[in-house]
Structures are given as C-alpha cells and as structure tokens.
Amino acid sequence: MSVGVPALALEKITCRFAARDGGEAYTAVADASLTVAKGEFVSVVGPTGCGKSTLLNIAAGLLAPSQGTVSVFGDRLIAENGVNRRAGYMFQADALMPWRTGLDNVIAGLEFRGVPRSEAVMQGEAWLRRVGLSGFGDRYPHQMSGGMRKRLALAQTLILSPDILLMDEPFSALDVQTRQLMENELLALWAEDKKSVLFITHDLEEAIALSDRVVVLSAGPATRPIGDFKVDLPRPRDVSEIRMTPGFLALHREIWAAMKEEVLKAYAAQKAA
Amino acid sequence: MTRLRALQILVVCLLVVFWYVMTAPGLIPPFYFDKANRAAFFFGEPQKVFWVIVDWFATGEIFGHLAITLLETALGFLIGAAVGLVIGLWLALSPTASAVMDPYIKGFNSMPRVVLAPIFAVWFGLGIWSKVALGVTLVFFVVFFNVYQGVREVSPNLIANARMLGASRRQLLRSIYLPSAMSWVFASLHNAVGLAFVGAVVGEYLGSSRGVGYLILQAEGTFDINTVFAGILVLTAFALALDAAVGAVERRLMTWQPRASETEKV
Ligand SMILES: Nc1ncnc2c1ncn2[C@@H]1O[C@H](COP(=O)(O)OP(=O)(O)OP(=O)(O)O)[C@@H](O)[C@H]1O
Ligand SMILES: [Mg+2]
C-alpha cells in the first residue's frame, strides 16, 4: 500500500447531535477513525441510520465533529473555515438546482470557478455524454427520472475532477443494468487518474466489487468501525463478472458474518423505537 | 369549452337585462322608490354607461388617464418589489437583524396602510408619487414576506452541494438564494400587481388631477352615476388585462417549475 500522508484521515471522531427539546444529546458517531490513502478506493458499509452520511459530512467539512480531527493531505480541516476544497461530494438526497437545466447544473462548479462559458459548455456536453444523458441537457431536473438525476449529479461532481471523491449511496436509485454501467464507468475513471474515493453504500456486493478496502460500521448509537477488510481481487475489474469469482464469494461470506449481527441490532432498535 | 363560454356570456346578458329592466324609468311601476326615475339616479342605466365608455374611447379621452394609472401601478410594483427583495434577502440572511426588526415588521404589516394615503398626499403632493408611495407600501410586504420565506425554505442540501462545488458567499446568494426567493415572489406576483393597482386607484380617488380614479371621483362630485359605473367597468377590464399579462410573464419565467399535469393529450 502507498506510504506517506493519507488523502483523508479522520481521527477519533465523535459526533453528538443536540436534541431539539433539551433532552439528552444523541451520540451518532463515537471515537471513529478512518483513513483513505492516496489513490485508494474505500467503501463504508453499515446498517441504516448508523451514521454513514454523518461521517461523510464531517469529511467534507460541512459538519464540525464534536471531538476529533480531520486531515486532508496532511492539512487540518476546520469546518468553520470552509469546506474541504479538494473533495467532490455526491449527496444521498437530491441536490440539483431545480431552476437550472441539466447542462447548467453540470457546469455549475466550473461557473463558480470562473471558467468561460463556452469552454464550460463544451466540457459539460462531454460529461453528459459520458453519463448517458446527451440530448437531455436542456431538460430541467423535474423533467428527468430519479436515475437520470443521479447521473446528472455524478457528472456535476466529476466535471471538477476532485482529488477526493465522497459518494453517499450514489447508485442506489439506479436499475441493476445502469448501475453496473455506472460502476464500471466510475472504476475506469478512478483507474485513469487514481482519485481517492470514500464510497458509502448499504450494498455489500457493490462495496466489494469496487473497493480496495471495505470498512464495516457498527449499529448506532455511538457508531464506530468494527471491521476493516482488504479486498485484493485483481484489477481491472468488471463489476458484473467479478461477482461470480470464488475470491469474491469468500470475502462476501466473511464480511457479511461481521455485518449481520449489526444489521439485526439496528433493525431491532428501530423497530423498538 | 364552448358550451361553458356560452353559459358565461349568458350570465352577463342576464345581468345586463336585469339591470336595464330595474332601472329604465317607467318600464315597470316603481315599487321601492317613490319616483319612476329614482332607480336610474342611484344605479345608472346600462345603455348610458355603455355610451359613456364608447365616448371615452372614441374621443381618446380615456387613454391619458389609463396611462397615468398604469404608470403608477408599474412604478409602485417595481419599487415595492425591489425594496421587498433587498430587505427580505438581508433579514433572511442575517439572524440578528431579523430578530431586531421583527416587531416593527409585524407592527407595520398589521397597520391598515391605506390610512397612509392622506399623509402621502401631503408629503408627495397630488401628482403620481403619492399614489406610487401607497402602492409601494402595499406591495413591499407581499414581496418581503415571500422572499424571506423563500430564503428560509432553501433546502440545506442545495446549499451544501453548491458549497462543495466551490460557491463563494456571493455566488451562493446569486445562484441559490436569489432564484429560490424569486420563485416565491413569482408565486405572489398576481397578488402584488393587484395591490399596486389598488394603491394607484385608491390614491387617485382620494385626491388627484388625472387617472381613472380621478374620473370616478369627478363624476361622483356631480352625481353622474353612469360615469362612475363606466369608470368601474373600465378599471375591472384593465385589471383583468393586467392579470393576464402577469400570467404570461410568469409562464415565460417559470418554465423550470413542475406543473400539475404536463402530459399531452393524443
Ligand atoms: N442534524 C441531525 N440532528 C439530529 N440527529 C441527526 C442529525 N443528522 C443525523 N442524525 C442522526 O444520526 C444518525 C445517523 O444519521 P446518518 O444520516 O448519518 O445515517 P446513515 O448511516 O447515513 O443512514 P442511511 O443508510 O439510512 O442513509 C441517525 O440516527 C440520525 O437520526
Ligand atoms: Mg445516509
């Protein structure tokens, strides 16, 4: 594995949310540490509501942790001073600007950086083609399907070519075929210029197929990593083919054994609440 | 559709006939007033009202007055909307300022602002500006509250996404807060333009030398009820036209908003 400073390092992060009615604060994440090396593809899996999005928001500098530090390529990230400028973030929820057309959404980041419009439009068209949306650039988000909006958001993030990619269940709204296409596309991109990726999913198969490393989180409250599995399947991979290999199945069995208990715990807790 | 139109026209015809039958002197024996021409004195007569309107348009007399009323409405709307937009953005983005100003905004909003008309007449004279001022105070609050709401309701996700894409504070204002606020302003556009119109007409009615409100005021002074009704009808038609124009502008500017049903009939 690569040595030197990691692209992203979360150290002993604790995150408490104050309760609205002055009751006891909710500890979403407790004492969690997580690093992503340069060029590494790390997936985080965990039961629903365990604090995956919270961790990602902290890594993005959108949320200040109650305790602990975040470093980006060795530099301390302070949320109060602004967001993580080296990272691109693909959100779990819809975050497109409804008053901009597809193309204008894709090139928003370039526009914020002062790239001339003609240049931005050229890049935007290219990206629309890459995510299979050429010809839909003049449609507004409400005129697109959920999956199309997801792909638009992907183009919006990737067009800026960030060093670190934070992705929060980006493909969960896509059908299986499109999803595998996008996953392969993401892998190709990642292989091209070795970005560092922190990828969140609740789909263990997806996590294994894409990643170098899979981190399993415990059920909430007070979530922390309880397992860290190296995936040394050969690259380049094809996500649909790799699922059939014995190496993949063995890993899946191993990680699922670690996860299962936490998933059941989370389910029981949410049912009781 | 055409059936509906026919029924709508029928209603108007019936109303006019009813109006004519009840007011034409001597057509039916008086049953409420003691003299035959009294009903016409109080309620006017449809054919006379019609001829007043025809006369106004034939001589072109009405156009100058309409233009003045339109100018007052437009200025009242534009100034009120601009001030409402700026102050709404400012208060929505600055919690301290909004906390300090809150009671004053509430108080000023609860005040029946039409009572300001005489004061404006003293301050700004009997020209168009006292009417514009009245329109501004009416329009301001509609726009202000909508902008304030619009900025407060912006999804935090949208802001987070724009920040991650590298938007500065100014860019956030321009590409997120402003468009979001504008969508709320447009939702209240009909209301705001209507209020600017009310401000103009009420202002004219309370003291002026030109405008459709002035025509009504003058006719009332000489008990010329037919002209009063003619003025009211012209104002109504004008308000409808204004509303249609606003609707057209709205459709052009708000193409990005989802509408209830957009499927095409085959
Ligand atoms: N702003 C907040 N205030 C209070 N509690 C919060 C807040 N944000 C998240 N939480 C709580 O923190 C916990 C973790 O939330 P988070 O969104 O990180 O879950 P998640 O792992 O992303 O879940 P999912 O897989 O369903 O997206 C949840 O129990 C949630 O209720
Ligand atoms: Mg989440």
Side-chain angles (χ1 to χ4, degrees):
Chain A
M1 205 67 249
S2 72
V3 278
V5 279
L8 189 66
L10 307 184
E11 273 162 88
K12 296 194 179 306
I13 297 286
T14 298
C15 186
R16 270 190 294 275
F17 289 111
R20 238 159 233 262
D21 41 19
E24 215 174 307
Y26 179 81
T27 309
V29 180
D31 209 24
S33 297
L34 182 72
T35 57
V36 181
K38 274 181 198 158
E40 193 182 22
F41 197 125
V42 178
S43 285
V44 173
V45 291
T48 172
C50 73
K52 302 184 293 294
S53 299
T54 304
L55 269 181
L56 215 55
N57 284 335
I58 290 171
L62 289 168
L63 188 68
S66 314
Q67 251 170 50
T69 59
V70 182
S71 315
V72 181
F73 292 102
D75 296 328
R76 178 88 188 270
L77 177 72
I78 313 270
E80 284 79 9
N81 300 348
V83 297
N84 185 345
R85 309 294 309 222
R86 312 269 312 250
Y89 191 162
M90 206 182 145
F91 289 82
Q92 183 173 14
D94 218 352
L96 296 168
M97 290 169 251
W99 44 80
R100 283 182 180 231
T101 60
L103 179 68
D104 282 331
N105 261 296
V106 170
I107 65 173
L110 294 178
E111 193 187 307
F112 294 148
R113 278 164 175 68
V115 175
R117 178 149 177 106
S118 54
E119 162 72 26
V121 167
M122 233 166 62
Q123 287 189 41
E125 302 274 11
W127 270 103
L128 282 175
R129 225 169 301 127
R130 258 184 120 149
V131 296
L133 287 177
S134 51
F136 291 99
D138 54 356
R139 287 223 203 163
Y140 288 95
H142 81 268
Q143 296 167 318
M144 298 192 190
S145 73
M148 288 161 88
R149 285 203 289 266
K150 275 283 170 199
R151 282 180 279 154
L152 201 62
L154 185 68
Q156 188 184 50
T157 305
L158 291 179
I159 198 172
L160 296 173
S161 186
D163 298 320
I164 304 171
L165 258 178
L166 307 171
M167 309 183 88
D168 197 348
E169 305 192 14
F171 303 138
S172 53
L174 303 180
D175 62 278
V176 180
Q177 285 79 23
T178 317
R179 182 173 181 159
Q180 292 185 349
L181 281 176
M182 299 310 298
E183 285 168 357
N184 280 333
E185 183 77 20
L186 176 65
L187 279 185
L189 263 164
W190 170 77
E192 218 170 83
D193 48 3
K194 284 286 175 182
K195 297 177 188 316
S196 312
V197 184
L198 186 54
F199 188 97
I200 283 178
T201 176
H202 53 232
D203 181 348
L204 184 52
E205 290 192 20
E206 183 179 45
I208 300 172
L210 295 174
S211 322
D212 294 321
R213 205 143 59 78
V214 176
V215 175
V216 180
L217 294 182
S218 71
T223 298
R224 77 219 129 64
I226 50 161
D228 192 330
F229 301 85
K230 234 175 136 49
V231 181
D232 38 16
L233 300 173
R235 295 202 188 256
R237 303 176 188 163
D238 181 286
V239 289
S240 53
E241 279 162 21
I242 200 158
R243 277 166 219 245
M244 317 297 173
T245 61
F248 181 96
L249 294 172
L251 258 170
H252 188 279
R253 217 171 302 123
E254 188 188 351
I255 302 177
W256 176 241
M259 250 184 97
K260 197 165 152 190
E261 199 182 331
E262 297 302 323
V263 171
L264 291 176
K265 231 189 271 173
Y267 181 63
Q270 288 193 351
K271 228 166 87 174
Chain B
M1 193 61 214
T2 48
R3 223 176 87 88
L4 211 61
R5 259 297 126 73
L7 285 174
Q8 285 170 342
I9 290 170
L10 185 68
V11 170
V12 174
C13 293
L14 283 177
L15 266 177
V16 172
V17 168
F18 177 73
W19 185 7
Y20 177 77
V21 169
M22 297 308 279
T23 55
L27 188 66
I28 54 172
F31 55 92
Y32 179 80
F33 298 105
D34 42 11
K35 285 212 188 91
N37 59 357
R38 267 299 147 84
F41 178 77
F42 281 110
F43 295 101
E45 290 172 80
Q47 78 281 14
K48 288 189 181 160
V49 170
F50 175 74
W51 286 116
V52 172
I53 295 176
V54 168
D55 195 49
W56 273 345
F57 281 92
T59 60
E61 185 194 352
I62 192 78
F63 294 119
H65 294 289
L66 270 178
I68 289 290
T69 306
L70 179 63
L71 180 67
E72 289 161 354
T73 304
L75 285 174
F77 169 73
L78 289 177
I79 298 174
V83 176
L85 187 67
V86 170
I87 297 192
L89 279 175
W90 175 48
L91 289 193
L93 294 175
S94 153
T96 330
S98 113
V100 171
M101 296 303 288
D102 184 59
Y104 301 103
I105 296 278
K106 280 210 182 96
F108 201 43
N109 184 41
S110 330
M111 180 169 71
R113 289 180 297 283
V114 176
V115 301
L116 293 175
I119 302 178
F120 287 149
V122 174
W123 287 352
F124 301 110
L126 293 180
I128 65 167
W129 291 107
S130 56
K131 288 83 191 168
V132 171
L134 189 58
V136 167
T137 58
L138 294 174
V139 170
F140 168 80
F141 282 94
V142 177
V143 173
F144 168 80
F145 282 117
N146 277 291
V147 169
Y148 190 78
Q149 191 77 1
V151 171
R152 285 302 179 90
E153 304 263 305
V154 179
S155 138
N157 253 315
L158 221 55
I159 299 169
N161 190 30
R163 286 182 64 201
M164 288 311 292
L165 292 173
S168 63
R169 259 191 80 81
R170 275 188 62 166
Q171 287 168 330
L172 270 186
L173 188 70
R174 260 205 46 206
S175 351
I176 306 288
Y177 290 118
L178 207 57
S180 172
M182 285 316 280
S183 73
W184 282 69
V185 170
F186 276 111
S188 64
L189 203 59
H190 290 273
N191 212 340
V193 172
L195 282 175
F197 187 59
V198 167
V201 173
V202 169
E204 283 169 1
Y205 183 72
L206 291 177
S208 61
S209 54
R210 281 151 93 198
V212 183
Y214 163 75
L215 283 183
I216 295 178
L217 175 64
Q218 212 186 23
E220 228 173 42
T222 59
F223 293 102
D224 181 0
I225 203 73
N226 289 319
T227 308
V228 173
F229 273 109
I232 291 171
L233 285 179
V234 168
L235 279 181
T236 307
F238 190 65
L240 283 175
L242 209 57
D243 206 55
V246 170
V249 170
E250 194 181 11
R251 269 192 301 281
R252 265 196 69 96
L253 291 178
M254 301 307 274
T255 42
W256 61 267
Q257 267 192 346
R259 254 172 255 132
S261 69
E262 276 182 314
T263 54
E264 211 168 291
K265 287 255 170 11
V266 282

